[in-house]
Amino acid sequence: MRVALFITCVNDTLFPGTGKAVVSLLRRLGCDVDFPAAQTCCGQMHVNTGYREEGVRLARHFTEVFAGYDAVVAPSGSCAAMVREQYPKLARPGSKGAAAIAEVVPKVYELSEFLLDVLKVDDVGAYFPHRVTYHPTCHSLRGLHLGDRPTRLLRNVRGLELVPLPGAEECCGFGGTFAVKNPAVSAAMGADKTRNILDTGAEVLCAADNSCLMHIGGTLSRQKTGVRTMHLAEILASTEENQ
């Protein structure tokens, strides 16, 4: 398959290792992976804060950049949900833009969706000998309805002990611009999530969105808990050779 990596702004700017992990993983599974250098922001924060026209422009650019691929894979439930849920609402019915969106959007997948639903793989040959707990981020849980896809993949990682996270479906408090507009509430929600993580005794917190991991990880770090945060892609890309 000819697959495009939709890296997303947060990963490209702050967590490039996640993008590298996705490429390594997909190539290991036989995919021809490309990184379209012309890609930009998907427009999520613009649309969420009322800048609809800017969102329309970015959606048009997205469909131009990612046209022609068999699949577009994003290591982010948040940005994948933006494209799948919001882009069809931004286009004028019957327009050229609507046709382009209808062509590209169904090919956009969050990583765990692509692995399980398209490649039909639940064991990617990973090795990660650590105690891990998984946080299902809001967009992956409520927007994409990923369900147990990420945890099915984690359970098949050799050496990994997966422990359930109490209150897993509760928001971590990040929410993009929510954390900026409501910092006190955001921090309190992050503190609640951190307590639940510590109760698991996990060495590593895993999620499908680095934005949420960044928020939770800040609290874990300030409290000097010793708990690491890792994106799902980085765990799945791990092998005995790169430990």
Side-chain angles (χ1 to χ4, degrees), residues 77-103:
S78 177
C79 295
M82 167 65 193
V83 173
R84 296 239 297 266
E85 291 186 327
Q86 297 297 331
Y87 277 16
K89 299 174 184 176
L90 292 174
R92 189 174 69 255
S95 67
K96 184 179 179 181
I101 285 172
E103 173 67 23

PDB file of all heavy atoms in Angstrom, residues 77-103:
ATOM      1  N   GLY A  77      -5.459  10.712  17.468  1.00  0.00           N
ATOM      2  CA  GLY A  77      -6.905  10.570  17.391  1.00  0.00           C
ATOM      3  C   GLY A  77      -7.574  11.919  17.211  1.00  0.00           C
ATOM      4  O   GLY A  77      -8.586  12.048  16.523  1.00  0.00           O
ATOM      5  N   SER A  78      -6.990  12.949  17.801  1.00  0.00           N
ATOM      6  CA  SER A  78      -7.552  14.287  17.757  1.00  0.00           C
ATOM      7  C   SER A  78      -7.597  14.841  16.338  1.00  0.00           C
ATOM      8  O   SER A  78      -8.648  15.293  15.860  1.00  0.00           O
ATOM      9  CB  SER A  78      -6.731  15.217  18.661  1.00  0.00           C
ATOM     10  OG  SER A  78      -7.195  16.539  18.589  1.00  0.00           O
ATOM     11  N   CYS A  79      -6.472  14.818  15.646  1.00  0.00           N
ATOM     12  CA  CYS A  79      -6.415  15.389  14.303  1.00  0.00           C
ATOM     13  C   CYS A  79      -7.125  14.504  13.271  1.00  0.00           C
ATOM     14  O   CYS A  79      -7.735  15.011  12.326  1.00  0.00           O
ATOM     15  CB  CYS A  79      -4.970  15.648  13.901  1.00  0.00           C
ATOM     16  SG  CYS A  79      -4.187  16.909  14.938  1.00  0.00           S
ATOM     17  N   ALA A  80      -7.054  13.190  13.449  1.00  0.00           N
ATOM     18  CA  ALA A  80      -7.793  12.298  12.559  1.00  0.00           C
ATOM     19  C   ALA A  80      -9.294  12.549  12.704  1.00  0.00           C
ATOM     20  O   ALA A  80     -10.033  12.559  11.712  1.00  0.00           O
ATOM     21  CB  ALA A  80      -7.463  10.842  12.871  1.00  0.00           C
ATOM     22  N   ALA A  81      -9.751  12.774  13.924  1.00  0.00           N
ATOM     23  CA  ALA A  81     -11.166  13.064  14.161  1.00  0.00           C
ATOM     24  C   ALA A  81     -11.570  14.395  13.545  1.00  0.00           C
ATOM     25  O   ALA A  81     -12.676  14.546  13.017  1.00  0.00           O
ATOM     26  CB  ALA A  81     -11.461  13.059  15.660  1.00  0.00           C
ATOM     27  N   MET A  82     -10.677  15.384  13.598  1.00  0.00           N
ATOM     28  CA  MET A  82     -10.944  16.670  12.962  1.00  0.00           C
ATOM     29  C   MET A  82     -11.226  16.488  11.477  1.00  0.00           C
ATOM     30  O   MET A  82     -12.217  16.987  10.942  1.00  0.00           O
ATOM     31  CB  MET A  82      -9.753  17.613  13.170  1.00  0.00           C
ATOM     32  CG  MET A  82      -9.768  18.859  12.300  1.00  0.00           C
ATOM     33  SD  MET A  82     -11.167  19.945  12.684  1.00  0.00           S
ATOM     34  CE  MET A  82     -11.086  21.047  11.248  1.00  0.00           C
ATOM     35  N   VAL A  83     -10.363  15.775  10.807  1.00  0.00           N
ATOM     36  CA  VAL A  83     -10.517  15.568   9.369  1.00  0.00           C
ATOM     37  C   VAL A  83     -11.793  14.788   9.064  1.00  0.00           C
ATOM     38  O   VAL A  83     -12.579  15.167   8.183  1.00  0.00           O
ATOM     39  CB  VAL A  83      -9.287  14.828   8.801  1.00  0.00           C
ATOM     40  CG1 VAL A  83      -9.505  14.451   7.335  1.00  0.00           C
ATOM     41  CG2 VAL A  83      -8.043  15.696   8.947  1.00  0.00           C
ATOM     42  N   ARG A  84     -12.030  13.732   9.793  1.00  0.00           N
ATOM     43  CA  ARG A  84     -13.166  12.861   9.498  1.00  0.00           C
ATOM     44  C   ARG A  84     -14.505  13.480   9.882  1.00  0.00           C
ATOM     45  O   ARG A  84     -15.510  13.326   9.177  1.00  0.00           O
ATOM     46  CB  ARG A  84     -12.973  11.524  10.211  1.00  0.00           C
ATOM     47  CG  ARG A  84     -11.757  10.743   9.729  1.00  0.00           C
ATOM     48  CD  ARG A  84     -12.136   9.396   9.179  1.00  0.00           C
ATOM     49  NE  ARG A  84     -12.737   8.573  10.195  1.00  0.00           N
ATOM     50  CZ  ARG A  84     -12.069   7.692  10.946  1.00  0.00           C
ATOM     51  NH1 ARG A  84     -10.761   7.534  10.782  1.00  0.00           N
ATOM     52  NH2 ARG A  84     -12.695   6.969  11.836  1.00  0.00           N
ATOM     53  N   GLU A  85     -14.531  14.200  11.017  1.00  0.00           N
ATOM     54  CA  GLU A  85     -15.794  14.743  11.508  1.00  0.00           C
ATOM     55  C   GLU A  85     -16.114  16.135  10.971  1.00  0.00           C
ATOM     56  O   GLU A  85     -17.264  16.433  10.640  1.00  0.00           O
ATOM     57  CB  GLU A  85     -15.773  14.803  13.041  1.00  0.00           C
ATOM     58  CG  GLU A  85     -15.795  13.462  13.732  1.00  0.00           C
ATOM     59  CD  GLU A  85     -15.917  13.609  15.239  1.00  0.00           C
ATOM     60  OE1 GLU A  85     -15.392  14.593  15.785  1.00  0.00           O
ATOM     61  OE2 GLU A  85     -16.543  12.741  15.867  1.00  0.00           O
ATOM     62  N   GLN A  86     -15.098  16.995  10.909  1.00  0.00           N
ATOM     63  CA  GLN A  86     -15.347  18.401  10.588  1.00  0.00           C
ATOM     64  C   GLN A  86     -15.225  18.750   9.104  1.00  0.00           C
ATOM     65  O   GLN A  86     -15.956  19.609   8.612  1.00  0.00           O
ATOM     66  CB  GLN A  86     -14.389  19.289  11.391  1.00  0.00           C
ATOM     67  CG  GLN A  86     -14.575  19.208  12.901  1.00  0.00           C
ATOM     68  CD  GLN A  86     -15.944  19.687  13.356  1.00  0.00           C
ATOM     69  OE1 GLN A  86     -16.565  20.544  12.724  1.00  0.00           O
ATOM     70  NE2 GLN A  86     -16.435  19.118  14.453  1.00  0.00           N
ATOM     71  N   TYR A  87     -14.308  18.112   8.398  1.00  0.00           N
ATOM     72  CA  TYR A  87     -14.129  18.481   6.989  1.00  0.00           C
ATOM     73  C   TYR A  87     -15.413  18.360   6.164  1.00  0.00           C
ATOM     74  O   TYR A  87     -15.728  19.269   5.387  1.00  0.00           O
ATOM     75  CB  TYR A  87     -13.015  17.634   6.359  1.00  0.00           C
ATOM     76  CG  TYR A  87     -11.615  18.149   6.610  1.00  0.00           C
ATOM     77  CD1 TYR A  87     -11.343  19.090   7.608  1.00  0.00           C
ATOM     78  CD2 TYR A  87     -10.537  17.697   5.855  1.00  0.00           C
ATOM     79  CE1 TYR A  87     -10.058  19.554   7.845  1.00  0.00           C
ATOM     80  CE2 TYR A  87      -9.241  18.154   6.080  1.00  0.00           C
ATOM     81  CZ  TYR A  87      -9.011  19.080   7.076  1.00  0.00           C
ATOM     82  OH  TYR A  87      -7.742  19.537   7.307  1.00  0.00           O
ATOM     83  N   PRO A  88     -16.172  17.267   6.305  1.00  0.00           N
ATOM     84  CA  PRO A  88     -17.408  17.184   5.514  1.00  0.00           C
ATOM     85  C   PRO A  88     -18.399  18.314   5.821  1.00  0.00           C
ATOM     86  O   PRO A  88     -19.203  18.691   4.959  1.00  0.00           O
ATOM     87  CB  PRO A  88     -17.989  15.821   5.914  1.00  0.00           C
ATOM     88  CG  PRO A  88     -16.796  15.024   6.331  1.00  0.00           C
ATOM     89  CD  PRO A  88     -15.910  16.006   7.033  1.00  0.00           C
ATOM     90  N   LYS A  89     -18.323  18.875   7.016  1.00  0.00           N
ATOM     91  CA  LYS A  89     -19.232  19.962   7.393  1.00  0.00           C
ATOM     92  C   LYS A  89     -18.757  21.319   6.869  1.00  0.00           C
ATOM     93  O   LYS A  89     -19.547  22.271   6.805  1.00  0.00           O
ATOM     94  CB  LYS A  89     -19.360  20.027   8.915  1.00  0.00           C
ATOM     95  CG  LYS A  89     -19.929  18.766   9.549  1.00  0.00           C
ATOM     96  CD  LYS A  89     -19.900  18.854  11.062  1.00  0.00           C
ATOM     97  CE  LYS A  89     -20.367  17.566  11.715  1.00  0.00           C
ATOM     98  NZ  LYS A  89     -20.259  17.613  13.200  1.00  0.00           N
ATOM     99  N   LEU A  90     -17.468  21.418   6.536  1.00  0.00           N
ATOM    100  CA  LEU A  90     -16.914  22.686   6.083  1.00  0.00           C
ATOM    101  C   LEU A  90     -17.184  22.950   4.608  1.00  0.00           C
ATOM    102  O   LEU A  90     -17.234  24.102   4.178  1.00  0.00           O
ATOM    103  CB  LEU A  90     -15.395  22.704   6.319  1.00  0.00           C
ATOM    104  CG  LEU A  90     -14.913  22.729   7.771  1.00  0.00           C
ATOM    105  CD1 LEU A  90     -13.396  22.586   7.824  1.00  0.00           C
ATOM    106  CD2 LEU A  90     -15.347  24.002   8.476  1.00  0.00           C
ATOM    107  N   ALA A  91     -17.324  21.910   3.813  1.00  0.00           N
ATOM    108  CA  ALA A  91     -17.470  22.068   2.371  1.00  0.00           C
ATOM    109  C   ALA A  91     -18.903  22.419   1.973  1.00  0.00           C
ATOM    110  O   ALA A  91     -19.866  21.943   2.582  1.00  0.00           O
ATOM    111  CB  ALA A  91     -17.047  20.786   1.672  1.00  0.00           C
ATOM    112  N   ARG A  92     -19.046  23.248   0.948  1.00  0.00           N
ATOM    113  CA  ARG A  92     -20.361  23.590   0.416  1.00  0.00           C
ATOM    114  C   ARG A  92     -20.877  22.415  -0.401  1.00  0.00           C
ATOM    115  O   ARG A  92     -20.176  21.935  -1.303  1.00  0.00           O
ATOM    116  CB  ARG A  92     -20.264  24.845  -0.460  1.00  0.00           C
ATOM    117  CG  ARG A  92     -21.615  25.412  -0.882  1.00  0.00           C
ATOM    118  CD  ARG A  92     -21.469  26.733  -1.611  1.00  0.00           C
ATOM    119  NE  ARG A  92     -20.841  26.552  -2.925  1.00  0.00           N
ATOM    120  CZ  ARG A  92     -19.600  26.861  -3.198  1.00  0.00           C
ATOM    121  NH1 ARG A  92     -18.809  27.369  -2.253  1.00  0.00           N
ATOM    122  NH2 ARG A  92     -19.101  26.668  -4.412  1.00  0.00           N
ATOM    123  N   PRO A  93     -22.069  21.899  -0.113  1.00  0.00           N
ATOM    124  CA  PRO A  93     -22.597  20.739  -0.841  1.00  0.00           C
ATOM    125  C   PRO A  93     -22.573  20.951  -2.353  1.00  0.00           C
ATOM    126  O   PRO A  93     -22.958  22.003  -2.853  1.00  0.00           O
ATOM    127  CB  PRO A  93     -24.042  20.637  -0.326  1.00  0.00           C
ATOM    128  CG  PRO A  93     -23.998  21.264   1.026  1.00  0.00           C
ATOM    129  CD  PRO A  93     -23.015  22.384   0.917  1.00  0.00           C
ATOM    130  N   GLY A  94     -22.088  19.934  -3.061  1.00  0.00           N
ATOM    131  CA  GLY A  94     -22.040  20.010  -4.510  1.00  0.00           C
ATOM    132  C   GLY A  94     -20.829  20.722  -5.079  1.00  0.00           C
ATOM    133  O   GLY A  94     -20.649  20.766  -6.298  1.00  0.00           O
ATOM    134  N   SER A  95     -19.977  21.282  -4.213  1.00  0.00           N
ATOM    135  CA  SER A  95     -18.810  22.025  -4.675  1.00  0.00           C
ATOM    136  C   SER A  95     -17.652  21.090  -5.015  1.00  0.00           C
ATOM    137  O   SER A  95     -17.654  19.912  -4.653  1.00  0.00           O
ATOM    138  CB  SER A  95     -18.366  23.026  -3.609  1.00  0.00           C
ATOM    139  OG  SER A  95     -17.883  22.332  -2.466  1.00  0.00           O
ATOM    140  N   LYS A  96     -16.647  21.647  -5.699  1.00  0.00           N
ATOM    141  CA  LYS A  96     -15.441  20.890  -6.007  1.00  0.00           C
ATOM    142  C   LYS A  96     -14.733  20.471  -4.723  1.00  0.00           C
ATOM    143  O   LYS A  96     -14.202  19.368  -4.622  1.00  0.00           O
ATOM    144  CB  LYS A  96     -14.517  21.754  -6.867  1.00  0.00           C
ATOM    145  CG  LYS A  96     -13.258  21.052  -7.329  1.00  0.00           C
ATOM    146  CD  LYS A  96     -12.414  21.968  -8.206  1.00  0.00           C
ATOM    147  CE  LYS A  96     -11.136  21.275  -8.647  1.00  0.00           C
ATOM    148  NZ  LYS A  96     -10.294  22.180  -9.485  1.00  0.00           N
ATOM    149  N   GLY A  97     -14.763  21.360  -3.717  1.00  0.00           N
ATOM    150  CA  GLY A  97     -14.143  21.045  -2.438  1.00  0.00           C
ATOM    151  C   GLY A  97     -14.809  19.877  -1.751  1.00  0.00           C
ATOM    152  O   GLY A  97     -14.145  19.031  -1.143  1.00  0.00           O
ATOM    153  N   ALA A  98     -16.141  19.821  -1.849  1.00  0.00           N
ATOM    154  CA  ALA A  98     -16.888  18.719  -1.239  1.00  0.00           C
ATOM    155  C   ALA A  98     -16.525  17.395  -1.889  1.00  0.00           C
ATOM    156  O   ALA A  98     -16.398  16.362  -1.213  1.00  0.00           O
ATOM    157  CB  ALA A  98     -18.387  18.971  -1.357  1.00  0.00           C
ATOM    158  N   ALA A  99     -16.330  17.410  -3.198  1.00  0.00           N
ATOM    159  CA  ALA A  99     -15.959  16.190  -3.914  1.00  0.00           C
ATOM    160  C   ALA A  99     -14.565  15.726  -3.501  1.00  0.00           C
ATOM    161  O   ALA A  99     -14.321  14.529  -3.314  1.00  0.00           O
ATOM    162  CB  ALA A  99     -16.012  16.433  -5.421  1.00  0.00           C
ATOM    163  N   ALA A 100     -13.645  16.683  -3.346  1.00  0.00           N
ATOM    164  CA  ALA A 100     -12.281  16.336  -2.931  1.00  0.00           C
ATOM    165  C   ALA A 100     -12.269  15.757  -1.526  1.00  0.00           C
ATOM    166  O   ALA A 100     -11.552  14.788  -1.241  1.00  0.00           O
ATOM    167  CB  ALA A 100     -11.397  17.573  -3.009  1.00  0.00           C
ATOM    168  N   ILE A 101     -13.072  16.348  -0.637  1.00  0.00           N
ATOM    169  CA  ILE A 101     -13.171  15.856   0.739  1.00  0.00           C
ATOM    170  C   ILE A 101     -13.758  14.451   0.762  1.00  0.00           C
ATOM    171  O   ILE A 101     -13.274  13.564   1.474  1.00  0.00           O
ATOM    172  CB  ILE A 101     -13.998  16.834   1.597  1.00  0.00           C
ATOM    173  CG1 ILE A 101     -13.157  18.080   1.908  1.00  0.00           C
ATOM    174  CG2 ILE A 101     -14.472  16.174   2.890  1.00  0.00           C
ATOM    175  CD1 ILE A 101     -13.925  19.189   2.590  1.00  0.00           C
ATOM    176  N   ALA A 102     -14.795  14.230  -0.045  1.00  0.00           N
ATOM    177  CA  ALA A 102     -15.435  12.914  -0.105  1.00  0.00           C
ATOM    178  C   ALA A 102     -14.470  11.846  -0.613  1.00  0.00           C
ATOM    179  O   ALA A 102     -14.589  10.665  -0.255  1.00  0.00           O
ATOM    180  CB  ALA A 102     -16.666  12.973  -1.002  1.00  0.00           C
ATOM    181  N   GLU A 103     -13.497  12.253  -1.422  1.00  0.00           N
ATOM    182  CA  GLU A 103     -12.519  11.320  -1.966  1.00  0.00           C
ATOM    183  C   GLU A 103     -11.424  10.990  -0.961  1.00  0.00           C
ATOM    184  O   GLU A 103     -11.029   9.828  -0.802  1.00  0.00           O
ATOM    185  CB  GLU A 103     -11.878  11.924  -3.229  1.00  0.00           C
ATOM    186  CG  GLU A 103     -10.723  11.133  -3.804  1.00  0.00           C
ATOM    187  CD  GLU A 103     -11.127   9.774  -4.364  1.00  0.00           C
ATOM    188  OE1 GLU A 103     -12.325   9.607  -4.720  1.00  0.00           O
ATOM    189  OE2 GLU A 103     -10.260   8.882  -4.435  1.00  0.00           O
TER     190      GLU A 103
END
